[in-house]
């Protein structure tokens, strides 16, 4: 449906570099990255607000680089609702249909259907100034959908909503996509992306660095930036060395630290490992268990997360363990304390470069 080929755009000191994207009809495609990486610039190139310095934009098989904004049939919704304050909800949704000189009865039917699809039928007669943030954003989406765009672009549409309103808005967006609406959604929140998307692209410093399904990207990040961005702390580059036994147990070396892993790869393979924080056990003495990875280290940091606590331990590399408050108190863990950590070779994920 939409294909971007080698899109480049320089704005001041910032540059989008060789952006390639393929979005199929019916996709919920999320573009994720930190602020200032070029996500919004890319959306405005797709809409035609900005013109790329080079590259091709192809929509439904047609080259549209020179097609005016109003003729691209692409709708965009920004972070904050953009509504006419002097109009009612009905009038706001109807506005793009009126300027296209659609017949009055068709406008009424179209607005009612859009209001039903976006769960705002009870708001049609209300003044815009009396809407909540979530209600106003739904009206904005309904108005954007009024012209039946091929693609709905969303630029951080949930960033100004509280937790309760975000949940409702995500439900709405999923419903619209399930009804066939193709969506490209920009965000910096990977949990938001995971809840919505079937395809995802990670952008860093104006460059797409990984594209795929959420499972591929979140379970097999191709760089430390991606791993850190999506909350994976135990990510290490290195290579596999000598075979330890005939059961596939290998040694992974990273920054002078040797970690046992289960892998069918050949010795000498370069890649990286991911160690889930919940797989790392902390103890005051070396544990007598089946875990072959045992290291002595010093606690360097302790901080709270939404799931419990993260404990950073220096074992030659910094490794993080996820624990509960009960374990923190039971083991009397404090910064500077010497501890043992252990984890099984089977819990270490090796991904070849």
């Amino acid at each position: 449906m939409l294909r971007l080929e080698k899109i480049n755009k320089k704005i001041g000191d910032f540059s989008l570099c060789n952006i390639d994207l393929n979005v199929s009809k019916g996709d919920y495609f999320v573009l994720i990255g930190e602020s200032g990486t070029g996500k919004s610039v890319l959306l405005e190139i797709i809409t035609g607000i900005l013109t790329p310095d080079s590259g091709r934009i192809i929509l439904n098989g047609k080259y549209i680089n020179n097609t005016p904004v109003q003729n691209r049939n692409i709708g965009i919704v920004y972070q904050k609702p953009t509504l006419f304050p002097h109009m009612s909800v009905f009038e706001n949704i109807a506005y793009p249909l009126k300027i296209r000189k659609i017949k009055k009865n068709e406008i009424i039917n179209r607005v009612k259907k859009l209001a039903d699809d976006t769960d705002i039928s009870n708001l049609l007669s209300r003044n815009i100034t009396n809407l909540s943030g979530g209600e106003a954003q739904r009206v904005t989406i309904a108005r954007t959908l009024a012209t039946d765009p091929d693609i709905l672009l969303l630029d951080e549409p949930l960033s100004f909503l509280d937790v309760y309103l975000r949940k409702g808005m995500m439900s709405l967006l999923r419903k619209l996509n399930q009804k066939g609406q193709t969506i490209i959604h920009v965000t910096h929140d990977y949990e938001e992306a995971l809840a919505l998307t079937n395809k995802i692209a990670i952008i860093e410093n104006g460059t797409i660095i990984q594209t795929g399904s959420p499972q591929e990207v979140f379970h097999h990040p191709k760089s430390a930036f991606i791993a850190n961005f999506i909350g994976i702390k135990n990510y290490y580059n290195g290579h596999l060395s000598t075979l330890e036994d005939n059961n596939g147990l290998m040694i992974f070396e990273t920054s002078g630290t040797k970690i046992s892993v289960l892998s069918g790869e050949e010795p000498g393979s370069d890649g990286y490992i991911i160690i889930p924080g919940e797989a790392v056990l902390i103890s005051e003495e070396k544990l007598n268990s089946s875990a072959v990875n045992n290291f002595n280290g010093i606690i360097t940091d302790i901080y709270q997360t939404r799931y419990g606590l993260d404990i950073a331990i220096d074992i030659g590399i910094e490794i993080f363990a996820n624990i509960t408050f009960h374990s923190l108190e039971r083991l009397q863990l404090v910064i500077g304390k010497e501890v043992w950590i252990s984890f099984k070779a089977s819990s270490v994920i090796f991904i070849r470069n």
Side-chain angles (χ1 to χ4, degrees), residues 30-315:
V30 169
L31 185 64
I32 187 170
E34 294 179 332
S35 297
T37 57
K39 304 185 300 296
S40 297
V41 171
L42 189 55
L43 288 193
E44 294 191 339
I45 286 174
I46 293 171
T47 62
I49 295 171
L50 293 175
T51 302
D53 297 332
S54 61
R56 287 161 52 88
I57 308 168
I58 299 169
L59 179 63
N60 295 326
K62 296 181 180 179
Y63 174 82
I64 64 166
N65 283 51
N66 300 320
T67 302
V69 174
Q70 64 272 21
N71 295 333
R72 293 195 181 192
N73 200 32
I74 294 173
I76 186 166
V77 173
Y78 290 100
Q79 294 176 335
K80 293 183 178 180
T82 52
L83 299 171
F84 300 116
H86 62 286
M87 295 182 182
S88 68
V89 169
F90 181 97
E91 291 168 336
N92 265 275
I93 300 172
Y95 180 76
L97 300 173
K98 287 182 177 179
I99 63 175
R100 285 168 174 79
K101 302 188 184 305
I102 304 297
K103 292 180 180 180
K104 185 175 181 179
N105 286 342
E106 291 182 27
I107 291 176
I108 292 171
N109 291 334
R110 179 67 175 155
V111 170
K112 287 182 177 179
K113 184 180 185 306
L114 287 165
D116 183 58
D117 288 344
T118 52
D119 297 327
I120 54 172
S121 296
N122 61 319
L123 303 178
L124 288 176
S125 61
R126 192 177 299 183
N127 187 282
I128 293 301
T129 57
N130 296 326
L131 299 179
S132 69
E135 290 169 341
Q137 194 66 300
R138 284 173 181 260
V139 176
T140 302
I141 291 171
R143 189 183 65 184
T144 306
L145 293 173
T147 55
D148 195 22
D150 289 324
I151 301 176
L152 176 63
L153 305 181
L154 304 173
D155 190 358
E156 303 269 9
L158 311 181
S159 59
F160 287 94
L161 303 180
D162 61 31
V163 173
Y164 177 77
L165 293 176
R166 282 165 61 93
K167 183 178 179 181
M169 187 62 68
M170 285 195 289
S171 177
L172 167 64
L173 295 174
R174 282 192 296 267
K175 183 172 72 172
L176 292 174
N177 179 243
Q178 289 163 4
K179 289 183 176 182
Q181 179 64 56
T182 304
I183 296 173
I184 300 177
H185 180 139
V186 155
T187 184
H188 61 271
D189 187 331
Y190 80 93
E191 292 185 355
E192 179 181 308
L194 189 60
L196 292 167
T197 186
N198 69 307
K199 291 184 181 178
I200 193 167
I202 307 290
I203 187 168
E204 179 186 15
N205 295 327
T207 301
I208 300 291
I209 57 176
Q210 188 171 355
T211 304
S213 70
Q215 292 74 24
E216 290 168 343
V217 174
F218 291 154
H219 295 168
H220 297 84
K222 290 185 177 179
S223 73
F225 168 82
I226 298 173
N228 291 331
F229 188 75
I230 64 178
I232 297 173
K233 297 182 176 65
N234 297 327
Y235 176 102
Y236 312 100
N237 285 300
H239 67 276
L240 291 173
S241 59
T242 54
L243 184 68
E244 283 196 342
D245 58 25
N246 294 323
N247 295 320
L249 200 61
M250 312 278 288
I251 292 293
F252 181 85
E253 296 187 19
T254 178
S255 301
T257 300
K258 296 181 178 181
I259 296 170
S260 296
V261 306
L262 281 172
S263 175
E265 298 287 349
E266 293 293 325
S269 297
D270 291 327
Y272 55 93
I273 59 170
I274 295 171
I275 307 170
E278 61 270 18
V280 180
L281 302 178
I282 301 178
S283 58
E284 294 183 293
E285 303 291 339
K286 184 177 180 180
L287 292 178
N288 182 18
S289 70
S290 60
V292 295
N293 289 297
N294 292 278
F295 300 93
N296 187 233
I298 302 293
I299 294 175
T300 58
D301 200 4
I302 300 172
Y303 56 92
Q304 186 173 343
T305 71
R306 69 179 66 185
Y307 304 111
L309 293 160
D310 271 359
I311 311 295
I313 305 103
D314 184 358
I315 62 168

